[in-house]
Amino acid sequence: AGSFSASLLERQQDVFARFIQTWGLQGKRVLEVGSGRGEYLELLRDLPVAAYGIENNAEFCLGAWKNGLNIFQGYVCDGELQTDPTRFDAVVSINFLEHIPHPKQFLQGMARLMEDDAVGLISVPDAMQELKDNSLLSYMSDHISYFTLPSLRTVLELNGFIVEDIFRNEELNVITAYFKKRPRTDLQTHKESVEAINQQLERFVQAALDDGMKIGMWGASHLA
C-alpha cells in the first residue's frame, strides 16, 4: 500500500518535488484534495511549500490534526467550503478521482479552491496498463471510474481545465496530469460594442417613427 511502503512514499515525494520545481511553487500554498489520514500531506509538508489538505472523514481529520497537519474537514462537492486561505496556488489529488461518484462536481469544486492562475496535479490508476498486463487486481467496488490517457484529458477539459501535460508513471502505475484553469473569455469590449450599436438603432428607429415613417427590418440569421 502506498501509504505504508517506504519506497512508494519516496517515489510519491519525488513526484511532488518535480511538480513544485516545474511550476515554481516554492513558498506557495498547495492543497491536497482527499488527504485521508495525511500520509501524502506529510510528504508535502517536508517540501518547500505551505501544505494544506481537505478530507471529509472526521476520524481521519482528527488523526491528521494530532500530527500537526493543516487539514480542513469537508468535501469539495459541497459547494462553498470554510478554508483559510480560501483559494490556493496549486492543488494535488492522488488516486482519489477514481473513487468519486460525481467526477464533474468534484473537479468543478476543486476549481473553486484554485486561484485563477493556479496549477494542478492529479493522478489516477492506469487502466491501460492493467489491461496490457492482463491484470484485474485494481478492479474493485470502490473504484467507480477507470481512466486512460485520453479519458483523463477529456474529463479535465470538459470541466474547465487546460491540460498542460499528461503522462504515465510506470513506477507508481498511475496516469498523471498537470493542468490549469481555462481563463474566462473577456467579452466586455464586445458587450460595449453591441450596446453602442443598439443605442444607434434605437435612435434611428425613434427618429423614423417621429417623422411618421414605416420601418422594414431584415435579418440574416447569425450574420445579422
Side-chain angles (χ1 to χ4, degrees):
S3 57
F4 293 97
S5 166
S7 62
L8 285 176
L9 286 172
E10 184 177 353
R11 294 175 201 172
Q12 186 61 58
Q13 190 168 42
D14 287 343
V15 169
F16 288 152
R18 286 198 301 271
F19 176 64
I20 291 166
Q21 182 65 33
T22 298
W23 298 103
L25 297 172
Q26 295 84 353
K28 301 290 189 177
R29 300 166 309 210
V30 179
L31 175 72
E32 184 197 11
V33 179
S35 296
R37 292 180 171 86
E39 300 91 345
Y40 294 150
L41 191 55
E42 289 184 356
L43 303 180
L44 279 172
R45 183 178 60 179
D46 293 337
L47 294 168
V49 295
Y52 301 85
I54 187 166
E55 169 59 46
N56 195 50
N57 186 300
E59 180 184 349
F60 292 173
C61 288
L62 184 60
W65 290 327
K66 289 180 178 178
N67 289 330
L69 296 172
N70 291 323
I71 196 167
F72 308 105
Q73 185 179 358
Y75 191 51
V76 294
C77 291
D78 292 340
E80 295 300 322
L81 295 166
Q82 300 302 312
T83 64
D84 185 16
T86 57
R87 297 208 292 179
F88 299 84
D89 303 301
V91 297
V92 299
S93 181
I94 308 301
N95 294 341
F96 196 61
L97 183 62
E98 67 273 13
H99 297 271
I100 303 301
H102 304 290
K104 175 182 176 180
Q105 289 89 328
F106 173 80
L107 290 170
Q108 292 182 359
M110 193 161 65
R112 287 193 292 272
L113 294 169
M114 299 172 67
E115 296 283 6
D116 290 340
D117 59 350
V119 294
L121 177 155
I122 193 163
S123 292
V124 293
D126 187 347
M128 286 304 296
Q129 188 66 34
E130 296 289 332
L131 294 172
K132 176 184 173 183
D133 293 342
N134 196 28
S135 170
L136 300 180
L137 298 179
S138 290
Y139 287 75
M140 56 189 74
S141 59
D142 61 323
H143 281 192
I144 301 173
S145 302
Y146 295 86
F147 294 96
T148 62
L149 285 167
S151 63
L152 180 59
R153 178 187 291 275
T154 297
V155 75
L156 289 168
E157 290 178 343
L158 287 175
N159 285 286
F161 296 109
I162 297 172
V163 177
E164 297 288 344
D165 194 11
I166 186 167
F167 52 90
R168 286 193 171 97
N169 184 328
E170 295 186 2
E171 286 188 338
L172 294 172
N173 195 31
V174 297
I175 299 168
T176 297
Y178 294 163
F179 59 92
K180 291 183 176 180
K181 292 171 71 171
R182 184 184 300 117
R184 285 178 172 270
T185 302
D186 184 1
L187 296 176
Q188 183 59 36
T189 301
H190 302 280
K191 180 181 177 182
E192 293 171 357
S193 175
V194 169
E195 289 175 348
I197 292 172
N198 286 341
Q199 292 171 7
Q200 292 175 25
L201 286 171
E202 288 173 3
R203 289 194 295 269
F204 174 81
V205 170
Q206 190 60 53
L209 294 176
D210 291 344
D211 288 342
M213 302 172 65
K214 293 182 178 181
I215 298 172
M217 298 187 68
W218 173 79
S221 185
H222 70 284
L223 300 177

